[in-house]
Every structure is written in C-alpha cells, then in structure tokens.
Amino acid sequence: FESDKNTYGVRPLFKLLTDDGFLAVCSEAKGLTNITHATPANIVPFLPGHFEVFDLKPNGKVQSLQMEPFHCCTQEPAHAICDTVERLTTSFDEEIVKSNIRTLFENAVRKRLMSHRRIGCLLSGGLDSSLVAATLVKLAKEEKLQYPIQTFSIGSDDSPDILAARKVAAHIGSEHHEVSFTAEEGIQAVEEVIFHLETYDITTIRASVGMYLVSKYIREKTDSVVIFSGEGSDELTQGYIYFHKAPNAKAGAEDSVRLLKELYLFDVLRADRTTAAHGLELRVPFLDHRFTAYYLSLPEEMRVPKHGVEKYLLRDSFKGLNLIPEEILWRRKEAFSDGMMSLKKSWYLCLQEHLESMVNDNQMEKAHKTFPHNPPRTKEAYYFRQVFEKHFPGRAEWLSHFWMPRWINATDPSARTLSIYKPDKE
C-alpha cells in the first residue's frame, strides 16, 4: 500500500547483471559487492518508479527485455480511484486548494497507520516533522490506538531543534523523548554511518549521524518500531532556502521535480538506511503518491516562497487550526545537520574542525588525481571519501553528484553558510 516506496526509492534496490546473464538483486549494495563472477559487472541502483522485465532461460540465465518508468511523480497514480478520498475539486481557488492539501495530507498519514507494531514519530521541531507528528497523534486518538504516540528528537541541550520539538510535543501531547548527543559521539559514529549509507555525499552524512543515533536509541530503549518522519517535504514544497533565489516560478517547479527524482541518492537514502540499520520501519507521508501528484499539479506561482517564507502554501494551509503552535508553523528552516547543536556552533562545524587534522594538505592537493570522479574539495569531504573507499573500493560511481544548492555560488551544502540564511532571533 505504500507505493511511494517504489516511486521515490524510499525502499532501495540494487542490481548486478553480467553480460552472460547472471542476475543478482539486493536492497543494499553491500549485499552484492562480494559476489564473484567470471565476467565483471557493475552494481547499479535500480531506478525508482521503474520496472524491468526479464526472460528467464532454461539454463537459469536471464536477459533483460524491457526497462521503463511505470510512474512519474507529476502524474496522479492509477490507484487513486481506490482511495477513500473522493475526486477532488480541480479549481485553483486558494481556499479549495488549501482544503485539498489538508485532506490529502491527513489521508496520507491515515493510510500509514496500518501496523501491528508500535508507531512512533521523529520530531525535529521543524515544520514538516511537526505536521506529521501532530496529525499522527490526532488520528491515533480517532483510530483509538491502545498506546500513546512516542516522539523523538535529538540534539544538545540548547539546540534550536530540541527547544522547538519540546514545544510541539507539549502542544500535541505526545510521549516525548529527547536524545542528547555530543560532537564526540557524533564523530565516533561517522564511519558506521557511512558503511550503512553507502554514500560519501557530504550533506547526507552530516544529517545522517543524528538520525542514526536517534534510531539506535529508539531500538534500544523503546518498543516503537514503525517510525513516521517528515522526509520529502522540502523537495516537494520548495523548502530549501536556496529556492528564494530561483529566477522564476517555472525554474523552481522544475527543480522541485529534479529533487524528488534524486531523493533516492540523498534524503530518503539517509532516512531509510539510518532507521533500517536498527531494524526500524520508516513511513514518509509527505511522499504519498496522491499528495505529491496533487501538489505538483498546482500552478507554479502558488508553490514559490512568498513574503520571504519558504513553503508558504503548505504553512498557510494549516494556519489557524491549532494543530501545531503558530510559531512552529512559521519557523524558518534549520538544516537537520545544523539545528541539532547550538546556534553558536553547529554540529557540522564541530565535525569539520575534528576532520581538519585527519587529512593533510598534500592529500588535498592530489585529491583530483586520487579521486577523479566527484573529487572532494574539502578535508571533510576527503575523509568521508576515504572511509567510503575503505568499505566500497572503486564504487564511487554510485553517487553521480554531490547535493548542492542551486542558483547561488555555493561551495558548502549547509544553509548556514548561505548569504540568505537568517537564523530566528529568539
């Protein structure tokens, strides 16, 4: 019932196919790296939203006959006709649109309540996870779930995220857990995290450490297994701060679709691997098929940042409902890797400082020769790449490009380094 897992690659798949017809598939690439075969073969991610047809020969060999997309994120899924939500009014009147957004979002959360195991929710204190958690708590009451919903946030004591999450949890009445972690613990976890992620993308690794540690806590200290999360919202609703710099609404809309198509390399890769590493099952209502198709069908002008606020339409749709505190509804985005530590010094700066000593200038000068594909530009990136190559030698092609903001001359993926970043003045 969660077709978004295929469409956006929330659940990954990798394949190895040799010229002589030997096929192997696995949900993690590391399950295929030790397969030895007479003819060498690449391990490639199976593209989200695609299907492949094979001819299985009597000798057990296979031949690929057809490989094509079965769905594009801008099309309403065929299963929409089986949905509990009837066909929506297609008018682009603002009040109708906002009502449709609320209906489809709530429906997306409700669909994912089917579970025999305890449901919990990650809560960073940002807009997206707060909307998910609040809707989840509301529907859990309606469906009369026999236990309170647990919410989980991670950070250090004075971090903006921890304070915001605390506010939301109190407002919605969840059983809230705060997981604190130090820069040292984060740094210690980096290598394990890269092993689970199978990537050397900078922003993905930075943001994964917190999610990995909070997942570890959930597994060891609670009985929540099915974990709801806010992934996909930034890509869908133009939530990254760099969208303020989009040259026009059309460019913003196109970049939104690009980000959704690349989710399997970045945000949902992080969310899936860090939770699955601890045996948790992730659910991401923002990537619900019908919800994304509807949002992307709206006029481009409706979806751009407005009044200096990104995700204006989404926020406006939930205004005045008391679902989450108003100041959270309008809270500016904090990148997950930044908001977990204090405003004075973010987690990724602690990480960078530590890694400065791990890589020398001589190595940096030769980085282009050592790593011709996606050469690292910083010592932090170089260190991540070294760890990746140690576990997955010669597999750099798994990542086609680093995640970077658009329309700005950016050298670092963190929003905090952008000229347009303005932290909330508390």
Side-chain angles (χ1 to χ4, degrees):
F1 70 97
E2 260 201 276
S3 55
D4 48 79
K5 295 211 158 164
N6 319 45
T7 310
Y8 295 113
V10 177
R11 271 283 178 228
L13 188 66
F14 291 86
K15 74 167 180 180
L16 176 153
L17 180 61
T18 63
D19 291 341
D20 62 352
F22 172 82
L23 172 71
V25 291
C26 189
S27 63
E28 291 188 48
K30 63 176 75 66
L32 304 174
T33 48
N34 291 333
I35 293 175
T36 47
H37 201 270
T39 48
N42 284 336
I43 296 167
V44 295
F46 189 82
L47 286 176
H50 283 65
F51 71 90
E52 188 165 10
V53 180
F54 294 97
D55 177 26
L56 179 59
K57 300 188 165 43
N59 65 358
K61 303 286 188 183
V62 301
Q63 183 190 355
S64 176
L65 298 179
Q66 185 190 5
M67 162 84 162
E68 58 184 83
F70 63 82
H71 184 77
C72 166
C73 58
T74 52
Q75 293 165 346
E76 184 166 86
H79 59 66
I81 49 170
C82 314
D83 214 319
T84 48
V85 173
E86 300 300 310
R87 304 219 53 88
L88 297 162
T89 322
T90 50
S91 150
F92 290 137
D93 170 76
E94 204 163 295
E95 290 311 310
I96 290 174
V97 165
K98 291 193 290 193
S99 162
N100 287 346
I101 286 173
R102 289 193 297 272
T103 302
L104 286 177
F105 180 69
E106 188 165 302
N107 185 47
V109 176
R110 183 178 279 111
K111 265 190 240 178
R112 287 163 180 74
L113 277 176
M114 292 180 359
S115 170
H116 298 300
R117 307 171 82 180
R118 183 163 183 169
I119 295 171
C121 189
L122 298 180
L123 179 59
S124 72
L127 172 71
D128 311 322
S129 64
S130 300
L131 286 175
V132 171
T135 306
L136 179 60
V137 168
K138 177 186 154 189
L139 296 179
K141 284 192 188 111
E142 286 175 23
E143 306 275 331
K144 300 196 169 44
L145 287 193
Q146 295 302 298
Y147 52 81
I149 295 290
Q150 295 177 327
T151 49
F152 304 94
S153 65
I154 182 155
S156 58
D157 301 337
D158 67 336
S159 75
D161 280 359
I162 282 275
L163 300 174
R166 201 177 287 168
K167 232 174 241 175
V168 175
H171 185 89
I172 64 178
S174 60
E175 183 194 299
H176 191 52
H177 296 243
E178 290 179 3
V179 185
S180 62
F181 88 110
T182 61
E184 293 73 47
E185 288 171 294
I187 288 157
Q188 273 174 352
V190 167
E191 181 157 348
E192 269 170 68
V193 166
I194 293 173
F195 174 72
H196 286 292
L197 290 177
E198 306 177 330
T199 188
Y200 50 92
D201 178 63
I202 305 153
T203 189
T204 302
I205 295 167
R206 285 177 186 171
S208 291
V209 171
M211 201 159 176
Y212 181 80
L213 294 173
V214 79
S215 298
K216 183 172 192 265
Y217 171 93
I218 295 171
R219 180 62 198 260
E220 290 172 358
K221 304 276 196 290
T222 79
D223 53 354
S224 286
V225 179
V226 172
I227 303 300
F228 279 63
S229 184
E231 264 70 41
S233 171
D234 286 323
E235 289 74 11
L236 177 66
T237 66
Q238 304 186 22
Y240 294 111
I241 292 180
Y242 75 80
F243 274 97
H244 288 288
K245 293 285 186 194
N248 52 52
K250 185 172 187 291
E254 283 169 359
D255 208 53
S256 188
V257 171
R258 173 188 73 87
L259 287 170
L260 285 165
K261 286 181 175 166
E262 291 178 358
L263 266 171
Y264 77 99
L265 292 170
F266 304 113
D267 275 32
V268 301
L269 179 145
R270 159 175 60 78
D272 171 73
R273 299 326 143 74
T274 54
T275 49
H278 300 288
L280 305 176
E281 188 197 322
L282 183 75
R283 297 203 177 162
V284 281
F286 271 107
L287 291 176
D288 177 77
H289 238 156
R290 256 192 103 182
F291 182 69
T292 55
Y294 177 73
Y295 206 95
L296 294 171
S297 75
L298 298 172
E300 291 163 353
E301 279 70 27
M302 285 186 99
R303 294 182 272 143
V304 299
K306 284 198 179 85
H307 313 301
V309 183
E310 56 286 345
K311 297 192 270 210
Y312 186 84
L313 177 62
L314 179 67
R315 297 171 197 269
D316 205 32
S317 300
F318 288 93
K319 186 177 69 185
L321 301 177
N322 200 28
L323 186 66
I324 60 175
E326 286 291 307
E327 74 262 34
I328 303 292
L329 187 60
W330 298 99
R331 184 184 176 212
R332 290 300 299 273
K333 181 171 174 57
E334 273 277 18
F336 189 35
S337 55
D338 299 344
M340 292 186 298
M341 295 266 167
S342 66
L343 274 175
K344 298 184 279 295
K345 188 171 184 183
S346 71
W347 144 241
Y348 85 90
L349 280 176
C350 303
L351 182 62
Q352 277 175 332
E353 280 177 18
H354 175 79
L355 298 179
E356 282 294 307
S357 58
M358 310 282 283
V359 178
N360 63 45
D361 296 345
N362 191 20
Q363 288 171 299
M364 283 311 296
E365 276 165 35
K366 299 196 181 105
H368 282 264
K369 288 200 176 76
T370 316
F371 305 117
H373 178 75
N374 287 335
R377 291 178 167 186
T378 62
K379 291 188 175 180
E380 176 192 23
Y382 193 103
Y383 174 77
F384 293 162
R385 181 63 168 270
Q386 271 183 318
V387 174
F388 175 85
E389 292 288 344
K390 174 178 145 187
H391 292 291
F392 310 107
R395 305 286 182 182
E397 307 284 330
W398 287 344
L399 181 67
S400 49
H401 60 285
F402 290 114
W403 194 98
M404 275 289 176
R406 283 276 161 105
W407 308 305
I408 302 177
N409 198 359
T411 51
D412 186 282
S414 164
R416 282 203 174 178
T417 62
L418 301 183
S419 57
I420 46 179
Y421 172 81
K422 298 180 194 65
D424 280 347
K425 301 282 180 286
E426 287 295 335

